[in-house]
Amino acid sequence: MTHILETVDLCKEFSGFRAVDTVSLKVREGEIHALIGPNGAGKTTVFNLLTKFLPASSGRILFGGQDITGMKPAPLARRGLVRSFQISATFPHLTVLENVRVALQRRLAPTFAFWLPGRVLTRLDGRAMDLLEQVDMQDFAAVKAADLPYGRKRSVEIATTLAMEPRVMLLDEPTQGMGHEDVERVTRLIKRVAAGRTILMVEHNMKVVAGICDRISVLQRGAILAEGSYAEVSADPRVLSAYMGSETQLEGAHG
Amino acid sequence: MTLQRNLLIALGLAALVVAPAFIYPMLIVKLLCFAIFASAFNLMLGYTGLLSFGHAMFFGSAGYALGVTTKFLHWPPELGILAGIAVAALIGFVAGAVAIRRQGIYFAMITLAISQLIYFVAMQMEWTGRDDGFHGIPRGRLFGLIDLENDLALYGLVAVCFVLALLAIHRIVTSPFGLALTAIRENEPRAVSLGYDVERYKVLALTLSAALAGLAGSLKALALSYESLNDLHWALSGEVVMMCILGGLGTLGGPVAGAFFVILLQNFLADKVGEWLSVIIGVVFLSCILAFRKGLVGEIAAWMERSRKPIPGQESRR
Ligand SMILES: Nc1ncnc2c1ncn2[C@@H]1O[C@H](COP(=O)(O)OP(=O)(O)OP(=O)(O)O)[C@@H](O)[C@H]1O
Ligand SMILES: [Mg+2]
C-alpha cells in the first residue's frame, strides 16, 4: 500500500509553544485513519498544517508523493485534499442545495462571470441533488442551512466536501456534540463515502473509531504517542493512561 | 413579495419621470449621483463584507478624468464618462491588489492611506486647480446629438445611468460571481477549503465597485461642470459609509434611501446651522443606528417579512 499523505518531522510553534512536535504521520491510500488525543493535543493544528491554513514552522508534507509544503490552501483543495472544520462550516444563509452547489460551481461552472444571470447555475442542481441523496438530505434541499439541526448540518458539509471529488477528506470531529442517533447516522455515512477515497478524521468517540477506522494515531502534547490498529492502540498502556484511561470511553468502544 | 417589489419598481420609475416637473432637476441629479455612489459602496461593505474607507478616491478621480478628457482632449461626454469609469476601475484594481490580503480595520486603513495619497498628489498638481478646483468642464453633446447644456437632457442622462447602475448591481449580486462572493462573505475559510482563491474575488468586487463609483463621480463632475478636491477627501469616504449604513446594507434600495436622506438633510440644514452641520448629521446618524440596526430599508424589509404569515407545510419538512 502506498502513502497518499505523509508528514516528515512536522513542527508548529506558537510564540515559543510547540503545538505540533516532530510529527511524522503516514496515511495509507484508501483507509480511514483516525487522529485521536486529549483536548489541546494539537489535532486541529495538524489539520491546519496539512491543508496549509497555517504555515509549518519546520518539516515537510507530501501529498500523493509530491511536496506540498509551500502550497496555498485553495490550490491544494483543488488538487483533492479537502477538509471540514471542527465547528460546523456551512454557508448559513444559503439553502442546502445552494451550499452544495457552491462547491460544484467552482469546478464546473463560471465563478467570475458577474454579467451572467444566476440561473445558469441551475444546470448544477441535478448533480447537487445526487450528492444530497448520497447523504440522505434530499428532503432538505430548500431549507436554509442555518435552520437545520446540528447533525444535519454535518451531513450538508459532507455532501459539499464530496462535491469536490476529493482524494483525501479531512474531517475534524464530525460527530462532536451529536445525539446518539445522529452519531450513528453520520458514522454510517462516513463509512459509505470512504469507498474509493482516503479519510483522515479527528474523533473523540471511541465507538466510532473502533467501528470504522483502519488505523489510529494518538497525539499527545503535539507528539505522536502511539500508532496502530484499534486493538493495538487500545492495549497500549501509555495510551490508556494518557487518553483512554476513563472506563466510560472504553466501555463505549465495546458496547 | 415579488408583486410588492414590481409595484415599488414601477413607482420608482414613475417618480424618476415626473420628479423634474416638481423638483429642481439639478438637485435630483445630485441625489442620483450620490445614490449611485452609495450603491457602489454597498457592493463592497454590504455584499463583500469589506469596509473600504477610501471610496472617495474613485469618485473624485473619475471626476478629474472626465474633466481632463472632455476639457483638454475635447472628448464627447459619453467617452469622458467611460474614461472616468476606467480610471476609477484601474485605481480600484490596484488598491485591491495592495490591500486585499488585509482584513477588517487594516483593509480600511490601507484604503484610507491610498486615498490620502491620491488626495495629496491631486493637491500638488497644477492642472487640478488645487484648492480652487477644476473649472470649465464642458457638458458637450451626448453622442453628438443631445445638447447636455439643457438641464432636463442632463437629468435624463443621469436618470438613465442611475437605473442602469442599479440593474448592473442587481445582476452582479445575483450572478454566478455574486453567489461565489456570498459564499466567501458567509464563511471565508470554508470557501477557501472548497478551492476558491478568495482574494481574486474580492479584488474583482472592489474593481466593479470602484467602476460604479467612477460612474457617479463622472456624472457629478459633468453636471456641475466642476470638480474639486472635496470629492477626493476622506470626509466623503466617511459620508458614503454613513449613507449605506443609514439606508441599510446589503439591500438594493438601502443605499439609495440613505444617500437621499443625507444629501437632503445637508441641503436643508446647510444655510441654517453653519458650523453645526456635521455635528447634527453625526447625532442623526448615531440615533438612527441605535434605533434601526438594519438601516431604514432593512428595517422595513424585516417588518414586512415578519408580518407575512408562514406558508403552511414549510415547517413540516424539518
Ligand atoms: N493560532 C494559535 N495561536 C496560539 N496557540 C494556538 C493556536 N492554535 C492552537 N493553539 C494552541 O495549540 C494547542 C493545540 O490546539 P489544537 O486546537 O490543535 O488542539 P486539538 O487537539 O484540536 O484540541 P481539541 O480536542 O480541543 O479540538 C492548544 O494548546 C492551543 O491553545
Ligand atoms: Mg481540535
Side-chain angles (χ1 to χ4, degrees):
Chain A
M1 253 194 216
T2 53
H3 294 124
I4 187 158
L5 188 62
E6 192 176 344
T7 69
V8 185
D9 295 336
L10 197 62
C11 294
K12 180 67 192 178
E13 283 183 18
F14 293 114
S15 48
F17 165 69
R18 272 214 167 175
V20 174
D21 191 2
T22 47
V23 165
S24 295
L25 188 70
K26 288 187 170 70
V27 179
R28 292 179 185 166
E29 181 143 32
E31 286 195 344
I32 302 183
H33 192 127
L35 186 62
I36 66 172
N39 291 110
K43 306 177 296 292
T44 298
T45 307
V46 168
F47 268 29
N48 284 333
L49 296 175
L50 287 174
T51 51
K52 306 311 301 169
F53 275 69
L54 281 176
S57 302
S58 65
R60 291 194 307 141
I61 306 166
L62 304 172
F63 174 48
Q66 278 178 315
D67 194 319
I68 57 159
T69 316
M71 274 185 84
K72 294 233 172 296
L76 181 57
R78 295 200 287 271
R79 273 214 206 164
L81 184 67
V82 184
R83 72 175 298 178
S84 73
F85 295 82
Q86 185 163 353
I87 36 170
S88 99
T90 55
F91 302 109
H93 294 103
L94 300 186
T95 66
V96 167
L97 187 82
E98 286 167 338
N99 262 270
V100 177
R101 227 171 50 182
V102 168
L104 290 172
Q105 184 189 348
R106 220 265 310 121
R107 287 198 305 125
L108 306 168
T111 59
F112 283 107
F114 58 84
W115 57 91
L116 290 178
R119 63 172 179 275
V120 300
L121 298 179
T122 52
R123 69 182 157 88
L124 300 174
D125 287 357
R127 272 182 118 106
M129 280 310 277
D130 285 348
L131 286 159
L132 287 177
E133 265 164 41
Q134 283 189 41
V135 302
D136 201 22
M137 286 290 290
Q138 63 276 23
D139 293 342
F140 295 83
V143 179
K144 259 191 196 172
D147 295 338
L148 288 173
Y150 185 79
R152 296 286 177 177
K153 282 186 192 159
R154 283 296 189 189
S155 298
V156 176
E157 273 181 61
I158 291 176
T160 309
T161 305
L162 284 176
M164 297 281 290
E165 299 194 345
R167 288 178 74 191
V168 177
M169 282 169 82
L170 305 186
L171 306 176
D172 199 347
E173 305 203 19
T175 68
Q176 187 194 33
M178 281 184 191
H180 202 66
E181 272 175 41
D182 274 338
V183 170
E184 276 181 13
R185 195 173 51 77
V186 170
T187 308
R188 264 182 279 128
L189 176 58
I190 292 171
K191 180 76 187 163
R192 189 145 34 97
V193 302
R197 53 175 60 91
T198 310
I199 292 182
L200 175 63
M201 60 193 279
V202 171
E203 184 55 65
H204 277 304
N205 188 326
M206 282 308 122
K207 196 173 167 184
V208 176
V209 172
I212 62 170
C213 295
D214 303 299
R215 271 181 91 72
I216 297 153
S217 299
V218 186
L219 206 62
Q220 191 196 17
R221 282 189 228 105
I224 291 192
L225 182 69
E227 226 162 7
S229 67
Y230 181 77
E232 288 163 357
V233 166
S234 61
D236 191 321
R238 288 172 307 167
V239 176
L240 284 175
S241 67
Y243 182 67
M244 298 200 280
S246 82
E247 276 303 309
T248 46
Q249 271 166 333
L250 280 177
E251 240 173 66
H254 301 296
Chain B
M1 197 63 181
T2 42
L3 187 77
Q4 279 173 348
R5 207 186 62 178
N6 290 342
L7 205 69
L8 259 165
I9 292 172
L11 274 174
L13 287 176
L16 270 183
V17 173
V18 300
F22 302 98
I23 310 167
Y24 178 50
M26 292 313 287
L27 173 62
I28 320 173
V29 163
K30 188 177 173 192
L31 290 176
L32 293 180
C33 287
F34 279 98
I36 298 174
F37 184 33
S39 302
F41 179 78
N42 186 36
L43 205 50
M44 277 321 275
L45 187 57
Y47 291 104
T48 315
L50 279 174
L51 171 61
S52 143
F53 207 84
H55 247 55
M57 67 178 145
F58 311 127
F59 189 79
S61 302
Y64 283 108
L66 172 120
V68 169
T69 51
T70 55
K71 184 179 171 186
F72 298 138
L73 307 179
H74 308 292
W75 287 13
E78 63 276 9
L79 286 186
I81 293 170
L82 285 179
I85 293 173
V87 166
L90 183 69
I91 296 175
F93 178 77
V94 173
V98 173
I100 219 77
R101 279 171 193 280
R102 307 286 156 180
Q103 304 277 338
I105 194 73
Y106 298 102
F107 179 79
M109 295 319 283
I110 293 181
T111 46
L112 173 63
I114 298 172
S115 78
Q116 285 300 89
L117 191 80
I118 290 177
Y119 180 86
F120 284 114
V121 169
M123 202 161 69
Q124 297 307 317
M125 295 288 166
E126 191 109 31
W127 60 263
T128 61
R130 297 185 177 145
D131 286 335
D132 298 332
F134 187 109
H135 290 267
I137 297 174
R139 284 193 188 171
R141 298 179 85 84
L142 188 67
F143 304 120
L145 295 171
I146 306 162
D147 185 5
L148 294 178
E149 289 301 335
N150 179 336
D151 278 357
L152 271 181
L154 186 91
Y155 171 78
L157 169 68
V158 174
V160 167
C161 286
F162 169 73
V163 172
L164 290 179
L166 287 194
L167 284 175
I169 290 171
H170 180 68
R171 171 51 65 87
I172 290 169
V173 301
T174 55
S175 71
F177 170 69
L179 294 172
L181 212 54
T182 306
I184 292 168
R185 186 188 69 235
E186 294 245 303
N187 193 336
E188 183 166 333
R190 184 51 170 163
V192 171
S193 81
L194 297 178
Y196 283 90
D197 291 312
V198 295
E199 277 141 18
R200 292 195 192 180
Y201 294 84
K202 291 180 185 172
V203 171
L204 179 56
L206 183 57
T207 308
L208 292 171
S209 169
L212 285 161
L215 170 67
S218 305
L219 289 174
K220 186 191 167 243
L222 186 72
L224 299 183
S225 301
Y226 165 75
E227 181 58 58
S228 86
L229 287 175
N230 286 342
D231 284 351
L232 283 174
H233 198 266
W234 62 264
L236 181 63
S237 298
E239 236 163 62
V240 77
V241 180
M242 194 161 80
M243 290 172 183
C244 253
I245 294 178
L246 265 184
L249 289 171
T251 59
L252 206 57
V256 176
F260 280 21
F261 182 73
V262 171
I263 299 290
L264 286 175
L265 195 67
Q266 280 177 350
N267 261 39
F268 176 70
L269 294 175
D271 47 356
K272 300 189 176 65
V273 295
E275 296 283 291
W276 286 90
L277 181 62
S278 45
V279 177
I280 294 177
I281 299 242
V283 170
V284 168
F285 179 56
L286 214 75
S287 358
C288 284
I289 297 295
L290 294 176
F292 323 107
R293 280 164 195 263
K294 296 180 180 127
L296 301 170
V297 170
E299 288 295 341
I300 294 170
W303 176 77
M304 291 203 311
E305 190 83 12
R306 275 197 300 275
S307 64
R308 265 195 313 159
K309 294 206 167 64
I311 300 154
Q314 205 174 42
E315 294 298 309
S316 63
R317 295 190 94 183
R318 288 173 204 163

